[in-house]
Amino acid sequence: MAVKKTKFIFISGGVLSSLGKGIASASLGLLLKQRGLSVTIMKFDPYINVDPGTMSPQQHGEVYVTDDGAECDLDLGHYERYLDVSGTRYNSVSSGQVYFEVIQKEREGSYLGKTVQVIPHITDEIKRRMTIYDKQYDIVIIEIGGTVGDIESLPFMETVRQICLERGPKNTLNIHLTYVPYIKSAGELKTKPTQHSAKMLMEMGIRPDILLCRTEFPLNKEVTSKIALFCNVEEDSVIEVMDAETIYEVPTSLAKNNLDQIVLRKFGMPVGKLDLDTWNKFVARIKNPKFSVKIGLVGKYNQVKDSYKSILEAFIHAGAINNTKVDVVWIDSETIQKSNASQSLKDLDGILVAPGFGNRGIEGKIEAIRFAREHSVPFFGICLGMQCAVIEFARNVAGMKDAHSGEFKKGKNLVINLMSSQKNITDKGGTMRLGSYPCNIRKGTLAYAAYGTESIQERHRHRYEFNNAYRTILEQHGMKLSGVSPDTTLIEIIELKNHPWFVGVQFHPEYKSRAVKGHPLFIDFVKAALTNKKN
Ligand code: GLN
């Protein structure tokens, strides 16, 4: 790769969380990429966990996995989906990782008797990580998690200040995402929270160059001028960000407000031509679908939609490609029993059983799968969903009534079990089968029809596997082992004979679904659901 003169863009957030910093970062990244620049996006999270792999998805949302097997914040998923490039473990950093590294070095004696302090030791380690892609990309976007003013993110902000000072304003830029609330009783948009947030940044020695103002109503000239004056920002750099119908519309709306051009002008870089044609066509298809399907998402974290973020996004992509709106019906697996399965599942055009850990709701997942198998409803099982499909088939077709997974039971007929490499592992963090692994696909299968190739790479996050001792008996009863690891020891994809579309995958295809392109299995699953459409 040619050596680049890398520019750094820092994106922080103010006032409150959930304003969409991840989407804003991904959208800006896309705009700069579509102007011909090479871009990567990094996330710095203030929490002390080394990674979110051990955090509950109910609290933190989905754990996203990169090709190289890092368990990351779900914003990494947005970056990959928008930019259509894969990040690495270096794209996701937590305070925990930073402290872990510094403390390890201290134990090794690397600090030569010095007192180890937040400044400079922690901030130097943050700086090393923030600049790890220096000279490799034209633009590195760094999103700082949390809200400005949080105690936890102070070392990150201090490091941002130092990098800006060292590299100067032509190579660094600060974008601050804030909120401009509309107060009904006053009939007015209020700028004070934004002023306070910008002030807090400036107290830390960071001057915002651009303010992205989330608002439900358009900012008028008076509001924009006031924010510009009080926050010490040029007037054209106060950018309104209105709520969008779909998150995929945000790049287009930021481009309308010239965000990418302002960034490039501030860096003194040529503006180039923005090519958003394909992207806009994709957005138009999301907004005006011809058809619709109802797909049941059977899982256990149904209250927190972020737990299944990548699956939901994969449905949006696959839906757009099929000209179809995918209505996801949330089904709590704990509520499904043999007696009520057909009642709660009968209106669905397709059923997806989600990934997961732990015993809760397992029997409900198995009943949902039985329903899909017996009623020829298109079925897609992901990771635990595939494992449950193997259990269901072993119990109800191959006659092994006590079949189960070693995750939930000891004893016989564990058709899903730990691989030998997992047997002696005691640490929970980062020890599963993680990241990208190759898989060979058999011709003449649904998987082959979807991918159109015999060799694929998909990302994994699990400990348990299909138990090879049961290959022959399950095959004899009509299960197809359509995807296998190149050394043939691991079953990666299963299908069923005599069913229109029944696919279980040991990996997580949702992590590789990208905007515009989608993912082959999600595309074909939606297509099958459309064919099966009830009314
Ligand atoms: N709990 C299962 C395992 O560890 C499945 C994990 C998953 O669905 N990601 O193998």
Side-chain angles (χ1 to χ4, degrees), residues 355-357 383-384 387 407 461-464 508:
F357 295 83
C383 209
L384 182 62
Q387 297 177 350
E407 185 175 356
R461 181 172 187 256
H462 56 100
R463 281 183 214 288
Y464 291 81
H508 289 264

Side-chain angles (χ1 to χ4, degrees), residues 329-341:
V329 181
W330 296 87
I331 296 170
D332 180 351
S333 51
E334 281 186 295
T335 64
I336 307 177
Q337 280 144 21
K338 198 169 175 185
S339 55
N340 68 8

